[in-house]
Amino acid sequence: MGCSTIVSVYTPAEVVEETGFTLDTLRYYEKIGLLERVERNSAGQRRFTQEDIGWLGTIRCLRDTGMPIAEMLRFAELVRAGDHTIADRIKLLEEHDRRVEGQIDNLIERKRYVSNKISYYRSVL
Amino acid sequence: MGCSTIVSVYTPAEVVEETGFTLDTLRYYEKIGLLERVERNSAGQRRFTQEDIGWLGTIRCLRDTGMPIAEMLRFAELVRAGDHTIADRIKLLEEHDRRVEGQIDNLIERKRYVSNKISYYRSVL
DNA sequence: GCTTGACCTGGAGTGCACTCCAGGTGGGAT
DNA sequence: ATCCCACCTGGAGTGCACTCCAGGTCAAGC
């Protein structure tokens, strides 16, 4: 059964580089269960898998669109629970998507106000 | 000198209604100097002016576009310092405007990722 | 005239999302 | 063999922006 799959593995430093999260943040995410227990080498040091990297990409995206950790945690649980939760995941993401839409619209609206203010100041210079 | 200007004045409750800030937030903003010392009636209760309302509108906008309080404070100081700071105000707002632009772009980018994820989940349902 | 409720002050507490620290272990280049 | 640096753990600390509280005053409608 000489299974010779090459499972590419990442050190903490590589993951920091790759994902842009700090090591402390990574550890924090693991501690609170947003990241599932990461594998360790014999010395107890973390060795991240490609899958971890992928999941961290999702986290990054959700986080940067303003999803609170509690909700990401809920999403993580759904993902772990298996394929029968896909409908729920869709629901969660769709709701988030609508909020992001709202955020963008609001930001565009507010930006107009800022731009107008700048124009006004320019006009009185 | 019977000066009979009608200076419309707002009670705290009216300002809360108008601006969407809580009374506590309004007091907090005054305490830290983001809002200049608000007028009081004989009983020491706040009576906001039209100008206060306008300024709170600006605050709302800057806040909702993610400007930290420290920077709003700096902007407030510039405004109070008089017209010779207009160039600085423009600089500050332009910088902020660029950041907001970046935020919007980033959000749009991330939103695409979320939408794709939703599509993917839909395809495997 | 009395009650109710809006408002006051100073200061303490909250929630979120990290971020830092002390004290220690192990791997790997020289 | 040695040294340094990445990494480990548990737990405490930080920064931001509020938010809440106790204990009190005033105004205005009934």
Side-chain angles (χ1 to χ4, degrees), chain A residues 111, chain B residues 96-108:
Chain A
K111 186 181 180 303
Chain B
H96 182 59
D97 198 52
R98 275 192 296 280
R99 282 197 304 265
V100 176
E101 182 92 46
Q103 262 186 84
I104 292 170
D105 292 348
N106 191 43
L107 230 41
I108 288 172

Side-chain angles (χ1 to χ4, degrees), chain A residues 20-119:
Chain A
F21 289 117
T22 69
L23 184 46
D24 267 322
T25 299
L26 256 16
R27 289 199 270 245
Y28 168 68
Y29 284 171
E30 186 179 351
K31 178 151 53 181
I32 64 172
L34 186 53
L35 204 54
E36 224 166 346
R37 176 89 190 159
V38 176
E39 308 264 308
R40 310 293 157 122
N41 68 1
S42 59
Q45 296 187 352
R46 289 173 180 78
R47 289 299 177 256
F48 295 82
T49 64
Q50 188 59 54
E51 220 189 318
D52 290 326
I53 303 277
W55 173 242
L56 283 167
T58 302
I59 296 301
R60 155 115 287 156
C61 170
L62 296 179
R63 184 191 98 149
D64 284 5
T65 47
M67 184 182 285
I69 282 188
E71 199 174 343
M72 289 199 272
L73 227 38
R74 163 141 181 70
F75 184 65
E77 275 159 23
L78 289 177
V79 171
R80 271 172 223 147
D83 288 354
H84 67 281
T85 66
I86 286 183
D88 286 340
R89 292 184 225 169
I90 290 175
K91 237 183 104 201
L92 189 151
L93 290 185
E94 273 178 337
E95 209 168 296
H96 182 59
D97 198 52
R98 275 192 296 279
R99 281 197 304 264
V100 176
E101 182 91 44
Q103 262 186 84
I104 292 170
D105 291 348
N106 191 43
L107 230 41
I108 288 172
E109 175 73 16
R110 303 296 192 181
K111 186 181 180 303
R112 190 160 35 238
Y113 181 103
V114 175
S115 299
N116 285 344
K117 197 121 197 154
I118 292 171
S119 300

Side-chain angles (χ1 to χ4, degrees), chain B:
Chain B
M1 251 170 127
C3 163
S4 63
T5 33
I6 292 160
V7 252
S8 52
V9 169
Y10 300 81
T11 65
E14 284 163 352
V15 177
V16 165
E17 168 73 13
E18 194 96 357
T19 65
F21 290 117
T22 68
L23 183 46
D24 267 324
T25 299
L26 257 15
R27 290 200 269 245
Y28 168 67
Y29 284 170
E30 187 179 351
K31 179 152 52 181
I32 63 172
L34 186 52
L35 204 55
E36 225 166 344
R37 176 89 189 159
V38 176
E39 308 265 309
R40 310 294 157 122
N41 68 2
S42 60
Q45 297 187 349
R46 288 173 181 78
R47 291 298 177 256
F48 295 82
T49 64
Q50 189 60 52
E51 221 189 318
D52 290 327
I53 303 277
W55 173 244
L56 284 167
T58 301
I59 296 300
R60 156 116 284 157
C61 171
L62 296 179
R63 184 192 97 150
D64 284 5
T65 46
M67 184 182 285
I69 283 188
E71 199 174 341
M72 290 199 273
L73 227 38
R74 162 140 181 70
F75 184 64
E77 275 159 24
L78 290 177
V79 170
R80 271 173 225 148
D83 287 355
H84 66 282
T85 64
I86 287 183
D88 286 340
R89 291 185 224 169
I90 290 175
K91 238 184 103 199
L92 189 152
L93 290 184
E94 274 178 337
E95 209 166 298
H96 182 59
D97 198 52
R98 275 192 296 280
R99 282 197 304 265
V100 176
E101 182 92 46
Q103 262 186 84
I104 292 170
D105 292 348
N106 191 43
L107 230 41
I108 288 172
E109 174 74 17
R110 303 296 192 183
K111 185 179 181 304
R112 189 158 39 235
Y113 181 104
V114 175
S115 300
N116 285 345
K117 196 121 197 154
I118 292 171
S119 301
Y120 167 73
Y121 277 144
R122 283 232 188 78
S123 77
V124 298
L125 247 194

